[in-house]
Amino acid sequence: MSKFTLIILAGLLSCTTSAFAYSGGWINARATFYGGGDASGTMGGACGYGNLYSTGYGTNTAALSTTLFNNGLSCGACFQLVCVNDRSCLRGSITVTATNFCPPGGWCAPPNHHFDLAQPVFLHIAQYRAGVVPVLYRRVPCRRRGGIRFTINGHAYFNLVLVTNVGGAGDVQSVYIKGSRTGWLPMARNWGQNWQSNAYLNGQSLSFRVRTSDGRSLVSYNVAHPGWSFGQTFSGAQFR
């Protein structure tokens, strides 16, 4: 590790908060960028978040390589990155949320640890001309404003719920749904962070139980009123 790298890390560690206690040591990886200067090309994505501005993620986002993406279970996780050992590196660090998948091939091929960053956030740690830079990264807690959001799509007997804006670990591993006339029902992950239930829940208030990768669970009671309709988004409790 170069003297320059040690100086950067020393500066970061001097600002350490409880967030750093969340994860282990720094891990080597590489980073590139995509999506254009306005990050319009990052919208949508394999996590199902759609418009990243309206879902609260903005441009501090990343597409993860196969090794990091974990078949979509890493969607919503937050990572801190610092550029190291390259003349194009800029001082400081960034925190990004996993919102997309970088298809296998090139830098994203297994077993590489790679972040394809939205262009605006890449430019906070490296110069544009670099294209690809070595980085160090670590998992950190996600800081979110407001509660966890549940967007209900689908139709009767097929409730497809998109879970977004999750704090703490950020990456949802299981979801349960409860109607006012049912017990707790497990939901199956359809794709990304879209979770489905085939129960008929129309006309019932809905509660959700979310578990993240750190083993913590959180219940949001009666998030959706009995008159909810498909296409609506509701806000629940939040991990602190």
Side-chain angles (χ1 to χ4, degrees):
M1 187 176 293
S2 71
K3 180 179 180 181
F4 181 66
T5 301
L6 290 173
I7 291 173
I8 291 178
L9 290 180
L12 288 171
L13 292 173
S14 68
C15 300
T16 296
T17 65
S18 59
F20 283 94
Y22 175 82
S23 57
W26 297 88
I27 301 171
N28 288 297
R30 289 188 179 273
T32 49
F33 62 85
Y34 78 115
D38 60 356
S40 59
T42 66
M43 301 297 137
C47 292
Y49 293 145
N51 186 314
L52 298 177
Y53 289 108
S54 62
T55 48
Y57 299 111
T59 60
N60 279 34
T61 62
L64 304 185
S65 61
T66 301
T67 301
L68 294 175
F69 192 65
N70 193 23
N71 292 318
L73 287 174
S74 292
C75 289
C78 293
F79 300 85
Q80 185 178 37
L81 281 72
V82 57
C83 181
V84 295
N85 299 329
D86 193 283
R87 292 184 178 181
S88 296
C89 288
L90 302 176
R91 290 183 179 272
S93 67
I94 57 173
T95 299
V96 296
T97 301
T99 60
N100 204 354
F101 174 56
C102 184
W107 294 112
C108 289
N112 294 337
H113 289 213
H114 190 82
F115 296 83
D116 201 12
L117 302 171
Q119 183 176 323
V121 75
F122 176 90
L123 296 179
H124 283 287
I125 59 168
Q127 298 175 37
Y128 179 90
R129 68 186 183 193
V132 58
V133 291
V135 296
L136 294 175
Y137 79 91
R138 68 189 310 176
R139 280 285 301 274
V140 294
C142 300
R143 307 297 184 190
R144 304 294 184 211
R145 293 184 178 181
I148 298 174
R149 296 177 192 143
F150 304 92
T151 301
I152 307 172
N153 296 303
H155 51 77
Y157 298 103
F158 180 71
N159 306 284
L160 189 66
V161 179
L162 173 63
V163 183
T164 61
N165 201 52
V166 182
D171 50 349
V172 176
Q173 305 296 293
S174 68
V175 179
Y176 284 75
I177 190 170
K178 181 184 182 302
S180 50
R181 297 192 296 272
T182 74
W184 285 104
L185 307 171
M187 303 189 78
R189 192 169 66 89
N190 188 291
W191 67 282
Q193 284 297 351
N194 284 282
W195 298 79
Q196 74 176 71
S197 169
N198 297 327
Y200 184 80
L201 298 169
N202 291 25
Q204 302 180 54
S205 60
L206 302 179
S207 302
F208 295 93
R209 185 167 75 221
V210 172
R211 183 180 64 84
T212 48
S213 63
D214 57 358
R216 298 173 66 199
S217 294
L218 185 66
V219 178
S220 298
Y221 288 104
N222 301 316
V223 170
H225 54 77
W228 62 268
S229 60
F230 294 105
Q232 289 185 298
T233 299
F234 300 92
S235 182
Q238 184 60 274
F239 289 100
R240 301 299 179 190

